[in-house]
């Protein structure tokens, strides 16, 4: 620098590179550049939510998967993760909006937690997009993401699986081969192939030969045809429905006094509703209007008092059972016999001659709804958790019980969403499945329709009739092929009678269990490793590396 020359503060010295923009400026520029992609991802997430009940537009599940694949293609893992979060949070917010009866903070918080899984998956989509056959690896990553959400945290929350959007689609029969994970895999693979078709079509349209040649469009056409073939593949899968025997059942939906968090009303009110509806059924049987069933099914929480602690509740149940003359499966909350202060959420087989007998305690209580993790610490911060005064204790036995002439498999409420619980129940000998549920808190929010869709998938997966009994709706009878034979309306008192098939044979999905899910998830994780290695090998050399190589030459 010549003598007498001064440099102003902040100015670049001669011969040096321009000063780098400050971090905030760079971040603002990155946000502006990524805003269109973020907005498209959010729209795609909302589109995916419309694939689920109560909307039920299942083709949108394939379209939204394709959109996410395109939005993450060629991006870095960090960019892919942000795109996945921008996709996942609106999706879960709309899908789980029924939680607003608890509070919109619960909707926002749970949507954030679930969206983080999609963020990690989308980072994997970005990494594997540079590999050959990337739609296949992307489909495996969808399965891996759902595998994780099914188990973490606090036992997982598998709502929003692609399979649950495809309970009435051509993909549904695939559940009989590989369960819900195979349905998810097929839906995601079809979406990835659509994305591949879009990429191929774009390349063809960019040709500079006066318009796209027919030959250039062949890859796009082939990918589209292959996507359609994947969707239609389920139609070739036979769904076993032949009955080994049948049973006559009656579902009693007694209804509740109020929707929302305060559905219970005064003590014994809900129990009285179910007792009275059962007494009406008994009168119809005596009058010859209705055939006497082999079993009557009451829903979860149909007795709002512990019948073993309150004689008046016990006596009311006894009256109903004796009047109808057949066993009743009663849902009740009872004090845990060995854990003072804890509750069992039970289904109890109540016989007209011998009284209460076999029972099943819910194995998977809902965190923050039926028990509070870290209760002492969190209750001080979130006072609303005090509305869960006692924790439920998880049961340790499968729900297979003999109820009169019927060997049933009982699962309670949200347990129908968990593969392992339903699978183990069928493998233990259940000839039909019963889902006892209490959806009164979430009535007319779309949640009962979402849960019924899960029952439909389980029916096909296990080749079993599924009977859903709800306090306020939706109670339903689902055939082994997933068809809804009978259903009630919400917030009405109703009694549904039906002859249901009983089956002993197991499906391929029953026999293979979780093996397809584990295999597909592991392949997805391995593909991420391959994508990382490929990215390192193909990464352009930096200035220093280029100089070193030139010197070596």
């Amino acid at each position: 620098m010549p003598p007498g020359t001064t440099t102003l503060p902040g100015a670049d010295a001669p011969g040096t590179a321009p000063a780098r923009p400050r971090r905030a400026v760079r971040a603002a520029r990155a946000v502006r550049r990524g805003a269109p992609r973020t907005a498209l991802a959010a729209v795609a997430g909302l589109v995916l939510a419309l694939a689920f009940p109560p909307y039920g537009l299942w083709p949108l599940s394939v379209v939204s998967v394709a959109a996410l694949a395109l939005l993450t293609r060629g991006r870095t893992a960090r960019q892919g993760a942000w795109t996945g979060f921008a996709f996942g949070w609106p999706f879960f917010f709309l899908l789980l909006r029924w939680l607003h009866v608890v509070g919109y903070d619960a909707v926002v918080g749970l949507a954030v937690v679930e969206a983080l899984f999609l963020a990690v998956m989308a980072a994997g989509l970005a990494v594997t997009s540079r590999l050959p056959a990337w739609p296949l690896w992307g489909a495996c990553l969808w399965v891996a993401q759902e595998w994780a959400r099914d188990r973490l945290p606090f036992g997982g929350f598998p709502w929003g699986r692609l399979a649950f959007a495809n309970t009435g689609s051509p993909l549904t029969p695939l559940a009989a081969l590989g369960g819900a994970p195979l349905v998810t895999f097929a839906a995601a693979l079809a979406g990835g192939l659509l994305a591949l078709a879009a990429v191929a079509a774009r390349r063809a349209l960019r040709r500079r030969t006066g318009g796209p040649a027919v030959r250039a469009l062949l890859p796009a056409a082939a990918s589209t045809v292959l996507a359609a073939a994947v969707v239609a593949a389920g139609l070739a899968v036979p769904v076993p429905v032949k009955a080994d025997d049948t049973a006559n059942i009656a579902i009693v939906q007694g209804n509740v006094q109020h929707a929302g968090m305060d559905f219970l009303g005064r003590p014994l009110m809900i129990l009285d509703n179910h007792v009275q509806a059962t007494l009406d059924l008994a009168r119809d049987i005596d009058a010859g209007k209705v055939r006497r069933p082999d079993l009557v099914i009451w829903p979860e929480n149909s007795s709002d008092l512990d019948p073993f602690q309150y004689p008046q509740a016990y006596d009311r149940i006894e009256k109903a059972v004796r009047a109808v003359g057949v066993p009743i499966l009663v849902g009740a909350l009872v004090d845990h016999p060995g854990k003072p202060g804890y509750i069992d959420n039970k289904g109890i087989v109540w016989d007209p001659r011998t009284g209460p007998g076999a029972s099943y305690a819910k194995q998977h209580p809902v965190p923050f709804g039926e028990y509070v993790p870290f209760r002492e610490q969190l209750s001080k911060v979130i006072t609303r958790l005090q509305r869960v005064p006692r924790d439920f204790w998880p049961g340790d036995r499968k729900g297979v019980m003999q109820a009169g002439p019927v060997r049933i498999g009982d699962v309670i409420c949200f347990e129908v969403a968990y593969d392992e619980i339903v699978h183990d129940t069928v493998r233990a000998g259940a000839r039909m499945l019963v889902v006892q549920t209490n959806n009164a808190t979430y009535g007319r929010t779309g949640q009962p329709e979402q849960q019924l869709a899960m029952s439909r998938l389980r029916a096909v997966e296990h080749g079993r009739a599924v009977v859903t009994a709800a306090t306020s709706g939706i109670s339903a009878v689902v055939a082994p092929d997933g068809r809804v034979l009978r259903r009630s309306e919400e917030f009405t008192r109703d009694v549904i009678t039906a002859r249901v098939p009983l089956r002993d044979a197991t499906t391929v999905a029953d026999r293979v269990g979780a093996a397809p899910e584990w295999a597909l998830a592991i392949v997805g994780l391995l593909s991420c490793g391959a994508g990382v290695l490929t990215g390192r090998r193909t990464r352009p050399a930096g200035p220093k590396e280029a100089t070193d190589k030139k010197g070596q030459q």
Side-chain angles (χ1 to χ4, degrees), residues 216-234:
L217 288 172
L218 285 179
S223 296
T224 304
V225 170
L226 191 54
V230 170
V231 172

Side-chain angles (χ1 to χ4, degrees), residues 329-332 345-349 358-361 401 410 412 436:
L329 181 64
V330 178
N345 188 353
K346 279 193 170 183
I348 307 166
V349 177
S359 65
Y360 165 69
M401 299 177 285
D410 190 18
I412 297 179
Q436 292 181 289

Side-chain angles (χ1 to χ4, degrees), residues 101-102 261-262 369 375 382-390:
V101 298
V102 178
M261 294 290 290
D262 301 312
R375 174 182 288 275
I382 309 173
T383 57
R384 192 184 311 156
L385 295 177
Q386 297 171 8
R387 300 192 68 170
V388 185
R390 292 197 292 170

Side-chain angles (χ1 to χ4, degrees), residues 541-553:
K544 186 177 184 302
E545 294 172 337
T547 302
D548 293 342
K549 288 182 179 180
K550 186 175 180 181
Q552 292 172 1
Q553 292 174 355

Side-chain angles (χ1 to χ4, degrees), residues 85-166:
F85 186 83
F87 173 93
W89 188 85
F91 162 56
F92 283 112
F93 184 88
L94 182 56
L95 180 76
L96 304 176
R97 199 170 57 87
W98 43 268
L99 269 174
H100 76 271
V101 298
V102 178
Y104 269 104
D105 55 341
V107 184
V108 171
L110 185 55
V112 167
V113 172
E114 297 298 296
L116 291 175
F117 289 91
L118 288 182
V120 175
M121 180 196 72
L125 293 177
V127 169
T128 57
S129 68
R130 61 178 63 98
L131 297 174
W134 53 268
L136 178 62
W137 317 131
C140 291
L141 286 172
W142 274 95
V143 175
Q145 171 262 137
E146 292 185 357
W147 177 93
R149 283 202 302 113
D150 189 38
R151 293 161 174 83
L152 302 169
F154 306 118
F157 186 71
W159 233 262
R161 299 169 71 178
L162 290 180
F164 295 153
N166 285 275

Side-chain angles (χ1 to χ4, degrees), residues 404-430:
V406 188
R407 189 167 67 249
I408 65 171
D410 190 18
V411 296
I412 297 179
C413 202
F414 282 17
E415 287 185 328
V416 72
Y418 295 89
D419 294 346
E420 184 178 1
I421 291 176
V422 185
H423 172 266
D424 289 348
T425 302
V426 173
R427 291 287 293 172

Side-chain angles (χ1 to χ4, degrees), residues 207-545:
R207 291 173 62 92
R208 299 292 185 178
T209 57
V214 174
R215 183 177 298 178
L217 288 172
L218 285 179
S223 296
T224 304
V225 170
L226 191 54
V230 170
V231 172
L235 299 177
V237 177
V239 177
V241 296
K242 185 178 179 181
D244 297 305
D245 198 358
T246 60
N248 293 306
I249 59 98
I251 309 169
V252 174
Q253 178 177 299
N255 203 11
V256 299
Q257 276 57 50
H258 308 287
M261 294 290 290
D262 301 312
F263 68 89
L264 283 172
R266 64 171 175 78
L268 291 179
M269 187 174 287
I270 292 178
L271 177 56
D272 283 339
N273 288 351
H274 288 84
V275 168
Q276 189 57 53
T278 305
L279 295 176
D280 292 342
L281 171 63
R283 282 189 286 269
D284 288 342
I285 292 171
D286 293 340
K289 297 179 181 178
V290 179
R291 182 176 178 177
R292 189 179 302 276
D294 298 307
L295 170 67
V296 175
I297 301 170
W298 285 5
E300 178 189 26
N301 301 156
S302 49
S303 178
D304 45 7
L305 290 178
D306 182 350
F308 304 110
Q309 298 295 328
Y310 294 89
Q312 58 269 48
Y314 189 102
D315 293 342
R316 282 169 167 80
I317 297 172
E318 279 280 297
K319 180 180 180 181
V321 173
R322 289 174 180 172
V324 79
V326 298
I328 297 179
L329 181 64
V330 178
L333 302 181
V334 303
D335 291 341
H336 192 284
K339 298 286 183 180
Y342 287 90
I343 303 173
D344 279 338
N345 188 353
K346 279 193 170 183
I348 307 166
V349 177
W350 210 293
D351 190 89
R353 292 178 297 277
T354 59
S359 65
Y360 165 69
K362 187 176 184 180
Q363 300 176 67
H364 198 299
V366 178
F368 303 103
E370 295 175 328
Y371 77 96
V372 179
F374 312 110
R375 174 182 288 275
E376 184 177 351
Q377 296 80 8
L378 292 179
S379 295
K380 297 176 183 178
V381 181
I382 309 173
T383 57
R384 192 184 311 156
L385 295 177
Q386 297 171 8
R387 300 192 68 170
V388 185
R390 292 197 292 170
D391 291 338
F392 288 30
W393 190 261
D396 57 2
R397 298 180 182 177
K398 303 174 184 67
V400 178
M401 299 177 285
Q402 192 70 33
V406 188
R407 189 167 67 249
I408 65 171
D410 190 18
V411 296
I412 297 179
C413 202
F414 282 17
E415 287 185 328
V416 72
Y418 295 89
D419 294 346
E420 184 178 1
I421 291 176
V422 185
H423 172 266
D424 289 348
T425 302
V426 173
R427 291 287 293 172
R431 306 186 74 198
M432 63 174 281
L433 291 169
V434 175
V435 181
Q436 292 181 289
T437 186
N438 174 18
N439 290 328
T441 301
Y442 308 114
R444 300 195 182 101
T445 63
Q447 188 272 352
E449 287 92 343
Q450 292 174 7
Q451 193 169 322
L452 179 58
M454 298 175 193
S455 293
R456 295 181 64 187
L457 185 77
R458 298 307 181 195
V460 175
E461 180 178 358
H462 303 290
R464 295 292 188 273
V466 179
V467 175
T468 299
T471 49
S472 57
I474 302 170
S475 299
V477 178
V478 181
D481 60 1
R483 290 179 298 120
V484 178
L485 303 178
R486 300 284 304 278
R487 61 166 285 173
S488 69
E489 298 300 323
E490 292 189 70
F491 295 105
T492 59
R493 179 179 295 181
D494 200 356
V495 176
I496 296 175
T497 58
R499 179 184 289 273
V500 298
L502 305 177
R503 301 189 70 255
D504 296 307
T506 54
T507 62
V508 175
D510 290 321
R511 294 189 286 275
V512 300
E517 181 182 33
W518 279 89
L520 292 170
I522 290 172
V523 169
L525 295 177
L526 291 176
S527 69
C528 285
V532 170
L533 292 176
T534 301
R536 288 178 177 174
R537 290 172 182 172
T538 59
R539 186 174 57 192
K544 186 177 184 302
E545 294 172 337

